[in-house]
Amino acid sequence: NNPPYLTGLLWYLLGDDVNVIVLITIRNQVELIPSCYIQKYRFVFQAGNILNFKSFLLGSENFMRDVTHKFFDFQYVADYYKSQLNCVIKILVFEDLRFDVDSFIRDLSNLLQIDKSIVSSLLQSSHFRNRNSQNLGGNFTKIHKPRGIGKILCYLMGEKKFLIFLNRFCYLQYRIFRQLIILLFASKQQVRIPDISDTEKEIIKEHFTSSNKRFTDVYGLDEYKMKKYGYFN
């Protein structure tokens, strides 16, 4: 009778008899965390406080940063939703989309209760990636550098505040207006994203192995599949 503050509006709008299902798609943290780093690199680079993957992953004493641990600990996330929403948790495995796409489409179709052909057509559509693959190898991203009027604003506001101000325009609804603002204030410079070492990937694997095994047991996932995809040994 006392729904949590986070989801109180849901109960207010729909009433007490609400059956909530939360769908979570997981991906092996060894690939997921570096992927997030690559996608967000232009923001952490411009913030100036996290310039390499190790500092993104670990804190000052070489322990996994608390926010990194909680955000990528699947059981922590699933348990949080379950406790806050009193919901049913359904799990999809991202690797199925690469290695067993028919199974992924079937499971998603059943969960959403829509035809498999619709799911298949949606999965074939392209999606945005904020990086470019170069002939030389490695990952690259584009960052904003002040120019023209932007240099004056940057001087008055300070570089960090200016870049935050500028990045807000990247999400405006109207593309033409968005591009015009960026064109007036800044130019784009291509920056190579630092490589992620095998040692750093091994740190991730060791850190999440036990929690992934526990998550598999608690939520009744296919242990053989989870081992095959490298979630634990």
Side-chain angles (χ1 to χ4, degrees), residues 57-230:
L57 182 67
L58 304 175
S60 58
E61 297 181 1
N62 281 336
F63 291 107
M64 186 76 67
R65 293 168 63 229
D66 188 52
V67 63
T68 307
H69 165 76
K70 289 183 176 179
F71 189 80
F72 296 105
D73 186 322
F74 302 133
Q75 183 164 352
Y76 176 88
V77 173
D79 287 350
Y80 176 80
Y81 279 119
K82 198 171 183 178
S83 66
Q84 294 294 303
L85 295 169
N86 190 29
C87 62
V88 175
I89 302 292
K90 300 291 185 180
I91 309 294
L92 290 177
V93 181
F94 173 83
E95 285 77 10
D96 279 342
L97 189 57
R98 295 168 57 187
F99 303 112
D100 189 6
V101 66
D102 290 338
S103 174
F104 187 92
I105 290 173
R106 182 191 65 244
D107 292 343
L108 183 55
S109 173
N110 291 337
L111 289 170
L112 299 179
Q113 297 183 349
I114 60 177
D115 189 84
K116 289 193 294 185
S117 62
I118 298 175
V119 175
S120 180
S121 65
L122 290 173
L123 290 176
Q124 290 174 6
S125 62
S126 60
H127 65 283
F128 174 77
R129 290 183 182 273
N130 185 40
R131 61 172 177 155
N132 296 313
S133 296
Q134 303 296 308
N135 293 330
L136 296 176
N139 295 298
F140 289 77
T141 190
K142 291 181 179 179
I143 64 168
H144 292 124
K145 300 294 288 185
R147 74 171 179 185
I149 301 173
K151 288 185 178 180
I152 300 174
L153 290 175
C154 185
Y155 174 78
L156 295 173
M157 299 172 67
E159 185 176 11
K160 187 173 182 179
K161 288 184 178 179
F162 170 74
L163 292 171
I164 292 172
F165 159 79
L166 195 63
N167 281 326
R168 288 176 180 170
F169 287 106
C170 295
Y171 300 99
L172 291 176
Q173 181 178 359
Y174 300 105
R175 183 180 178 186
I176 294 177
F177 182 65
R178 180 175 71 227
Q179 290 180 334
L180 178 61
I181 292 295
I182 300 299
L183 184 64
L184 287 173
F185 293 152
S187 61
K188 287 187 177 181
Q189 176 181 330
Q190 192 157 271
V191 174
R192 177 163 182 165
I193 300 172
D195 294 330
I196 298 166
S197 70
D198 292 338
T199 300
E200 290 163 341
K201 291 181 179 179
E202 191 61 32
I203 291 172
I204 298 172
K205 184 175 182 178
E206 289 181 1
H207 182 82
F208 289 103
T209 288
S210 60
S211 65
N212 285 343
K213 178 64 169 66
R214 186 168 58 254
F215 175 71
T216 298
D217 295 338
V218 170
Y219 285 89
L221 304 181
D222 186 329
E223 183 174 342
Y224 172 78
K225 178 189 291 187
M226 296 292 282
K227 282 185 178 180
K228 183 177 73 172
Y229 292 150

Side-chain angles (χ1 to χ4, degrees), residues 17-82:
D17 298 326
V18 179
N19 295 319
V20 179
I21 298 175
V22 172
L23 175 60
I24 300 175
T25 301
I26 64 172
R27 182 182 182 184
N28 191 330
Q29 294 95 336
V30 174
E31 292 187 351
L32 177 60
I33 296 177
S35 177
C36 288
Y37 173 73
I38 289 169
Q39 292 183 42
K40 303 299 181 184
Y41 182 76
R42 68 188 178 100
F43 297 107
V44 298
F45 179 86
Q46 290 176 161
N49 55 351
I50 299 178
L51 298 180
N52 56 67
F53 181 70
K54 189 174 182 181
S55 58
F56 176 80
L57 182 67
L58 304 175
S60 58
E61 297 181 1
N62 281 336
F63 291 107
M64 186 76 67
R65 293 168 63 229
D66 188 52
V67 63
T68 307
H69 165 76
K70 289 183 176 179
F71 189 80
F72 296 105
D73 186 322
F74 302 133
Q75 183 164 352
Y76 176 88
V77 173
D79 287 350
Y80 176 80
Y81 279 119
K82 198 171 183 178

